[in-house]
Amino acid sequence: MFAFVAFAALMTPQAAAQEQPVEPYKIDPTNAGAAPFAGDGMARAFGGQDGISRIVDRFVTANFADRRIGEIFMNQDEVRLRRVLFEQFCYILNAGCTYTGRDMRAAHKDMGVQQGDMNRLVENLQAAMQAERVPFAAQNRFLAKLAPMRRDVVER
Amino acid sequence: MIVPLWTKVAVAAGALGIAAAADAQQIAEPGKLLLTNGIGTIEGASGGGLTPWAVIAGNATRDGIGVQASATAAELKDYDFQVAGVAIGALDRVELSYARQRFDTNWVGGALGLGNDYKFDQDVWGAKVKLAGDMVYGSEWMPSIAAGVYYKRSLDAPIVRAVGARKAEGTDLYVSATKLFLRWSLLANVTLRATNANQNGLLGFGGDKRNARTIHPEGSLAYQVSRRFVVGGEFRSKPDNLGIAREDDWFDAFAAYALNRNLTATVAFADLGSVATVEGQRGVLFQIQGSF
C-alpha cells in the first residue's frame, strides 16, 4: 500500500516534471481568462487533446527559441509552462480538461512584455496551429478568446 | 575658464548620443500582425483602398515609429488614375500622410475642350489620431476609433473653377471605427466623412448645387482567408455638387495578399460610376504597399 502511494506521488505532474515551486494561489478554472467553447467542434478542429498537446509543445519550443521573445521566456519554468498552457488551451477549447494554473495577470507579472512581443507570440501560435492543420477560421475563433487577455499580459 | 564652443557642442552631442542610445532600448522593433495596418488609401492614409481605417500606418507598435509607402494605379473605362502616397505612424497613435494623385482624362479631355490626355493633379496631406480601442485586442466588441483630417489642394485651380467648383482646395474631416472580429475572421470598418470635395477633390470643392460640406458614410468589410490573404468590398458615398457633372458613390471588391512583413499587393475591381460627364467608369486597381 505504501509503495503504491509513493508510486502514485511520483506520477503526479509536479513530481514527474520537476516544476519550480510558485507562490501559493487559489486554483480556479476561471483563472484561464476565458470561458470555454460550447460543444466539441473546436476541440475536434484542434485534433483533440493529442493535437492540442502537439500545438502547445511546438508553440512553447518556438517561443523559447525565438530571436525576439526568447529572452522573456528564458527565466520562465518551461516544464510548468507546458503543463499549464496545455491545460488552459484544452480547457478553453472544451477538450476535457480543467485549468489549474494562475490567472493571466499573476502569470505575466513583471515580464515586461511589449505589444510587439505579444504579436510575435500570436504569430508563433498561428504557426503551431497551422502545423497541426487547424482550419484558419478555427484558429481565429480561438484567438478571439485570447485577444481580450492583452491587458493582463502587455505592460503599458 | 573658457571652453571652446566646439567642445561644448561635442559634449552636448555626446550627451544626446547617450540619451538616444538609452531611448533606443525602449523602442521595440516593428511588430504589427500581418495586414493589421491595412493598405494605402488613394488619399495616402492607411486603411482600405477607398476609405481610411482606424489603424496607424507602418509596422511599428505603440513602442515605435513606422512608415508606409504605396503606389496605386487604376485603369478605368475611359480614365487612368495614379497615386503615390507616404505615411508615417508613431506609437500606434498618430499618423501623418501625403499623397499625390494624378487623374488622366485620356480622350475625354479632348471632348471637354481641355486637350487629350489632360491630367488633373492633387496634393493630399493627412493627419489621423487613434482615440480609443484596438482593432485586434481588448474587448471583442470595442473597435479601434480614430479621427482624421485631409487637406487637399488641386493643382488645376483655373480648370476646376471653370467646371463649376467654388474652390481648388478643401478639407475633409472623418471619424473611423475598425475591428477585426476574430470569431468570424471578419474585418469591418465604418467611416463618416464631412466633405465638399468633387470626385475626391480632383474636380475641386463645392459647386453650383451645393457648397457646404455634407456627411457621408463609407465602409469596408473583409474576410480573412488566411494570415496573408483577405478579400472584401468597400463603399464610399460622395457629395454631388456640380451641375454639369453628376457624381456617383464608389464601390470596389478587393483581394489583398501580404507577400511578406513589408510588402502587400492588392487588386480591386472598382465601380466609380459617372466621372466628369462620362458614365460607367469601372475598372481595375492595383496597389503595392511597403511598410516598415
Side-chain angles (χ1 to χ4, degrees), chain A residues 150 156, chain B residues 53-56 62 91-94 128-139 141-148 175-179:
Chain A
R150 179 188 60 176
R156 302 221 63 142
Chain B
W53 293 352
V55 300
I56 298 298
R62 59 170 80 153
L91 311 180
D92 202 25
R93 176 65 62 186
V94 180
K128 174 164 54 174
V129 180
K130 214 166 103 172
L131 301 173
D134 192 284
M135 172 191 173
V136 180
Y137 295 105
S139 162
W141 308 109
M142 176 63 187
S144 175
I145 297 169
V175 290
S176 293
T178 309
K179 189 71 182 179

Short mmCIF file of all heavy atoms in Angstrom, two decimals, chain A residues 150 156, chain B residues 53-56 62 91-94 128-139 141-148 175-179:
data_model
loop_
_atom_site.label_atom_id
_atom_site.label_comp_id
_atom_site.label_asym_id
_atom_site.label_seq_id
_atom_site.Cartn_x
_atom_site.Cartn_y
_atom_site.Cartn_z
N ARG A 150 -4.98 40.64 -23.43
CA ARG A 150 -3.82 41.51 -23.60
C ARG A 150 -3.58 42.43 -22.41
O ARG A 150 -2.45 42.66 -22.00
CB ARG A 150 -3.96 42.38 -24.86
CG ARG A 150 -2.74 43.28 -24.98
CD ARG A 150 -2.79 44.30 -26.03
NE ARG A 150 -3.88 45.23 -25.90
CZ ARG A 150 -4.03 46.26 -26.71
NH1 ARG A 150 -3.18 46.45 -27.68
NH2 ARG A 150 -5.04 47.08 -26.56
N ARG A 156 2.06 48.53 -20.03
CA ARG A 156 1.95 49.81 -20.72
C ARG A 156 3.20 50.63 -20.50
O ARG A 156 3.79 50.58 -19.47
CB ARG A 156 0.74 50.58 -20.20
CG ARG A 156 -0.52 49.78 -20.37
CD ARG A 156 -1.64 50.64 -20.82
NE ARG A 156 -1.36 51.21 -22.11
CZ ARG A 156 -2.28 51.38 -23.06
NH1 ARG A 156 -3.49 51.03 -22.87
NH2 ARG A 156 -1.95 51.93 -24.20
N TRP B 53 -9.04 53.71 -42.41
CA TRP B 53 -9.39 52.89 -41.25
C TRP B 53 -8.76 53.48 -39.99
O TRP B 53 -7.83 54.28 -40.06
CB TRP B 53 -8.88 51.46 -41.41
CG TRP B 53 -9.52 50.68 -42.51
CD1 TRP B 53 -10.60 51.04 -43.28
CD2 TRP B 53 -9.11 49.39 -42.99
NE1 TRP B 53 -10.88 50.06 -44.19
CE2 TRP B 53 -9.98 49.04 -44.04
CE3 TRP B 53 -8.09 48.50 -42.63
CZ2 TRP B 53 -9.86 47.83 -44.73
CZ3 TRP B 53 -7.97 47.31 -43.31
CH2 TRP B 53 -8.86 46.97 -44.35
N ALA B 54 -9.29 53.00 -38.85
CA ALA B 54 -8.74 53.43 -37.56
C ALA B 54 -7.51 52.60 -37.22
O ALA B 54 -7.44 51.94 -36.18
CB ALA B 54 -9.81 53.31 -36.48
N VAL B 55 -6.57 52.58 -38.14
CA VAL B 55 -5.29 51.93 -37.92
C VAL B 55 -4.21 52.97 -38.21
O VAL B 55 -4.48 54.00 -38.82
CB VAL B 55 -5.10 50.69 -38.81
CG1 VAL B 55 -6.18 49.66 -38.53
CG2 VAL B 55 -5.11 51.06 -40.30
N ILE B 56 -2.99 52.68 -37.78
CA ILE B 56 -1.89 53.61 -37.96
C ILE B 56 -0.87 52.99 -38.91
O ILE B 56 -0.51 51.82 -38.76
CB ILE B 56 -1.24 53.96 -36.59
CG1 ILE B 56 -2.26 54.64 -35.68
CG2 ILE B 56 0.00 54.84 -36.79
CD1 ILE B 56 -2.82 55.97 -36.18
N ARG B 62 2.88 50.38 -30.44
CA ARG B 62 2.83 51.55 -29.56
C ARG B 62 4.21 51.90 -29.01
O ARG B 62 4.37 52.90 -28.33
CB ARG B 62 1.87 51.32 -28.40
CG ARG B 62 2.25 50.13 -27.56
CD ARG B 62 1.44 50.05 -26.28
NE ARG B 62 0.13 49.48 -26.51
CZ ARG B 62 -0.56 48.82 -25.56
NH1 ARG B 62 -0.06 48.70 -24.35
NH2 ARG B 62 -1.74 48.33 -25.82
N LEU B 91 3.95 55.46 -32.57
CA LEU B 91 3.43 54.93 -31.31
C LEU B 91 2.05 54.31 -31.45
O LEU B 91 1.29 54.22 -30.50
CB LEU B 91 3.42 56.04 -30.23
CG LEU B 91 4.72 56.83 -30.10
CD1 LEU B 91 4.59 57.88 -29.00
CD2 LEU B 91 5.89 55.90 -29.81
N ASP B 92 1.72 53.87 -32.66
CA ASP B 92 0.41 53.31 -32.96
C ASP B 92 -0.69 54.29 -32.53
O ASP B 92 -1.78 53.90 -32.08
CB ASP B 92 0.20 51.95 -32.27
CG ASP B 92 -0.86 51.12 -32.97
OD1 ASP B 92 -1.09 51.34 -34.18
OD2 ASP B 92 -1.49 50.28 -32.30
N ARG B 93 -0.40 55.56 -32.68
CA ARG B 93 -1.31 56.58 -32.17
C ARG B 93 -1.56 57.69 -33.19
O ARG B 93 -2.70 58.11 -33.39
CB ARG B 93 -0.69 57.18 -30.88
CG ARG B 93 -1.42 58.32 -30.25
CD ARG B 93 -2.77 57.92 -29.73
NE ARG B 93 -2.67 56.92 -28.67
CZ ARG B 93 -3.72 56.31 -28.13
NH1 ARG B 93 -4.93 56.61 -28.52
NH2 ARG B 93 -3.54 55.40 -27.21
N VAL B 94 -0.49 58.17 -33.82
CA VAL B 94 -0.58 59.34 -34.70
C VAL B 94 -0.05 58.97 -36.08
O VAL B 94 0.97 58.28 -36.19
CB VAL B 94 0.24 60.52 -34.14
CG1 VAL B 94 0.14 61.73 -35.06
CG2 VAL B 94 -0.24 60.88 -32.75
N LYS B 128 -4.02 61.75 -38.78
CA LYS B 128 -5.00 60.86 -38.15
C LYS B 128 -4.53 60.55 -36.74
O LYS B 128 -3.34 60.36 -36.51
CB LYS B 128 -5.13 59.58 -38.98
CG LYS B 128 -5.99 58.50 -38.40
CD LYS B 128 -6.40 57.43 -39.41
CE LYS B 128 -5.29 56.78 -40.15
NZ LYS B 128 -5.71 55.65 -41.01
N VAL B 129 -5.46 60.50 -35.81
CA VAL B 129 -5.13 60.17 -34.43
C VAL B 129 -6.04 59.04 -33.97
O VAL B 129 -7.27 59.12 -34.14
CB VAL B 129 -5.33 61.38 -33.48
CG1 VAL B 129 -4.97 61.00 -32.05
CG2 VAL B 129 -4.50 62.55 -33.93
N LYS B 130 -5.44 58.01 -33.41
CA LYS B 130 -6.23 56.94 -32.83
C LYS B 130 -6.69 57.39 -31.45
O LYS B 130 -5.87 57.77 -30.61
CB LYS B 130 -5.37 55.67 -32.72
CG LYS B 130 -6.15 54.41 -32.92
CD LYS B 130 -5.22 53.24 -33.15
CE LYS B 130 -5.13 52.41 -31.89
NZ LYS B 130 -4.38 51.17 -32.12
N LEU B 131 -7.99 57.35 -31.23
CA LEU B 131 -8.54 57.90 -30.00
C LEU B 131 -8.76 56.84 -28.92
O LEU B 131 -8.59 57.12 -27.74
CB LEU B 131 -9.88 58.59 -30.29
CG LEU B 131 -9.84 59.72 -31.32
CD1 LEU B 131 -11.25 60.20 -31.64
CD2 LEU B 131 -8.99 60.88 -30.79
N ALA B 132 -9.16 55.66 -29.32
CA ALA B 132 -9.51 54.64 -28.32
C ALA B 132 -9.58 53.28 -28.97
O ALA B 132 -9.66 53.15 -30.19
CB ALA B 132 -10.87 54.98 -27.69
N GLY B 133 -9.55 52.27 -28.12
CA GLY B 133 -9.80 50.91 -28.57
C GLY B 133 -8.65 50.28 -29.32
O GLY B 133 -7.57 50.85 -29.43
N ASP B 134 -8.89 49.09 -29.82
CA ASP B 134 -7.87 48.35 -30.57
C ASP B 134 -8.58 47.48 -31.59
O ASP B 134 -9.63 46.92 -31.33
CB ASP B 134 -7.04 47.49 -29.62
CG ASP B 134 -5.79 46.95 -30.30
OD1 ASP B 134 -5.90 46.00 -31.09
OD2 ASP B 134 -4.71 47.51 -30.05
N MET B 135 -7.94 47.39 -32.76
CA MET B 135 -8.54 46.63 -33.85
C MET B 135 -8.53 45.13 -33.57
O MET B 135 -9.43 44.40 -33.99
CB MET B 135 -7.75 46.95 -35.11
CG MET B 135 -8.09 46.14 -36.31
SD MET B 135 -6.81 46.47 -37.52
CE MET B 135 -7.26 45.29 -38.76
N VAL B 136 -7.51 44.63 -32.86
CA VAL B 136 -7.36 43.19 -32.66
C VAL B 136 -7.63 42.80 -31.21
O VAL B 136 -8.39 41.87 -30.94
CB VAL B 136 -5.93 42.72 -33.04
CG1 VAL B 136 -5.80 41.21 -32.81
CG2 VAL B 136 -5.61 43.07 -34.47
N TYR B 137 -7.02 43.51 -30.28
CA TYR B 137 -7.03 43.10 -28.88
C TYR B 137 -8.13 43.81 -28.09
O TYR B 137 -8.87 44.62 -28.62
CB TYR B 137 -5.66 43.38 -28.25
CG TYR B 137 -4.55 42.56 -28.86
CD1 TYR B 137 -3.64 43.13 -29.74
CD2 TYR B 137 -4.42 41.22 -28.56
CE1 TYR B 137 -2.62 42.38 -30.29
CE2 TYR B 137 -3.41 40.46 -29.11
CZ TYR B 137 -2.51 41.04 -29.97
OH TYR B 137 -1.51 40.29 -30.51
N GLY B 138 -8.15 43.50 -26.80
CA GLY B 138 -9.11 44.15 -25.91
C GLY B 138 -10.49 43.54 -26.07
O GLY B 138 -10.64 42.45 -26.60
N SER B 139 -11.48 44.27 -25.60
CA SER B 139 -12.84 43.78 -25.64
C SER B 139 -13.22 43.42 -27.07
O SER B 139 -12.91 44.12 -28.02
CB SER B 139 -13.79 44.86 -25.11
OG SER B 139 -15.10 44.57 -25.52
N TRP B 141 -15.86 43.61 -28.63
CA TRP B 141 -16.81 44.47 -29.33
C TRP B 141 -16.35 45.91 -29.37
O TRP B 141 -17.07 46.78 -29.85
CB TRP B 141 -18.20 44.36 -28.70
CG TRP B 141 -18.60 42.93 -28.60
CD1 TRP B 141 -18.70 42.19 -27.45
CD2 TRP B 141 -18.90 42.03 -29.68
NE1 TRP B 141 -19.04 40.89 -27.77
CE2 TRP B 141 -19.18 40.78 -29.12
CE3 TRP B 141 -18.96 42.19 -31.07
CZ2 TRP B 141 -19.51 39.67 -29.89
CZ3 TRP B 141 -19.30 41.08 -31.84
CH2 TRP B 141 -19.56 39.85 -31.26
N MET B 142 -15.17 46.21 -28.83
CA MET B 142 -14.69 47.58 -28.82
C MET B 142 -13.74 47.80 -30.00
O MET B 142 -12.64 47.27 -30.02
CB MET B 142 -13.95 47.87 -27.50
CG MET B 142 -13.32 49.25 -27.44
SD MET B 142 -14.54 50.59 -27.52
CE MET B 142 -13.48 52.01 -27.63
N PRO B 143 -14.17 48.58 -30.99
CA PRO B 143 -13.29 48.80 -32.15
C PRO B 143 -12.21 49.82 -31.85
O PRO B 143 -12.25 50.52 -30.83
CB PRO B 143 -14.25 49.35 -33.20
CG PRO B 143 -15.29 50.08 -32.40
CD PRO B 143 -15.43 49.30 -31.10
N SER B 144 -11.25 49.86 -32.73
CA SER B 144 -10.32 50.99 -32.73
C SER B 144 -11.07 52.18 -33.32
O SER B 144 -11.78 52.05 -34.32
CB SER B 144 -9.11 50.64 -33.60
OG SER B 144 -8.26 51.76 -33.70
N ILE B 145 -10.91 53.34 -32.70
CA ILE B 145 -11.61 54.54 -33.16
C ILE B 145 -10.58 55.63 -33.44
O ILE B 145 -9.69 55.86 -32.61
CB ILE B 145 -12.63 55.02 -32.11
CG1 ILE B 145 -13.71 53.95 -31.91
CG2 ILE B 145 -13.27 56.34 -32.53
CD1 ILE B 145 -14.60 54.22 -30.72
N ALA B 146 -10.69 56.25 -34.60
CA ALA B 146 -9.72 57.29 -34.96
C ALA B 146 -10.45 58.47 -35.60
O ALA B 146 -11.54 58.31 -36.15
CB ALA B 146 -8.67 56.75 -35.93
N ALA B 147 -9.82 59.62 -35.51
CA ALA B 147 -10.33 60.82 -36.19
C ALA B 147 -9.23 61.35 -37.07
O ALA B 147 -8.04 61.26 -36.73
CB ALA B 147 -10.76 61.87 -35.18
N GLY B 148 -9.61 61.88 -38.22
CA GLY B 148 -8.58 62.35 -39.14
C GLY B 148 -9.03 63.54 -39.97
O GLY B 148 -10.21 63.91 -39.98
N VAL B 175 -14.23 60.43 -39.05
CA VAL B 175 -14.00 59.51 -37.93
C VAL B 175 -14.20 58.09 -38.46
O VAL B 175 -15.07 57.85 -39.30
CB VAL B 175 -14.95 59.75 -36.73
CG1 VAL B 175 -14.60 61.05 -36.03
CG2 VAL B 175 -16.40 59.76 -37.17
N SER B 176 -13.36 57.17 -37.98
CA SER B 176 -13.43 55.79 -38.42
C SER B 176 -13.45 54.86 -37.21
O SER B 176 -12.82 55.15 -36.19
CB SER B 176 -12.21 55.41 -39.27
OG SER B 176 -12.22 56.10 -40.49
N ALA B 177 -14.17 53.76 -37.35
CA ALA B 177 -14.14 52.69 -36.34
C ALA B 177 -13.85 51.40 -37.08
O ALA B 177 -14.50 51.09 -38.07
CB ALA B 177 -15.47 52.61 -35.61
N THR B 178 -12.84 50.67 -36.59
CA THR B 178 -12.38 49.47 -37.29
C THR B 178 -12.18 48.34 -36.29
O THR B 178 -11.62 48.55 -35.21
CB THR B 178 -11.02 49.74 -37.98
OG1 THR B 178 -11.13 50.93 -38.76
CG2 THR B 178 -10.62 48.58 -38.88
N LYS B 179 -12.67 47.15 -36.64
CA LYS B 179 -12.47 45.99 -35.76
C LYS B 179 -12.28 44.73 -36.59
O LYS B 179 -12.98 44.52 -37.58
CB LYS B 179 -13.69 45.81 -34.84
CG LYS B 179 -13.47 44.78 -33.74
CD LYS B 179 -12.51 45.26 -32.67
CE LYS B 179 -12.24 44.23 -31.58
NZ LYS B 179 -11.28 44.74 -30.58
#
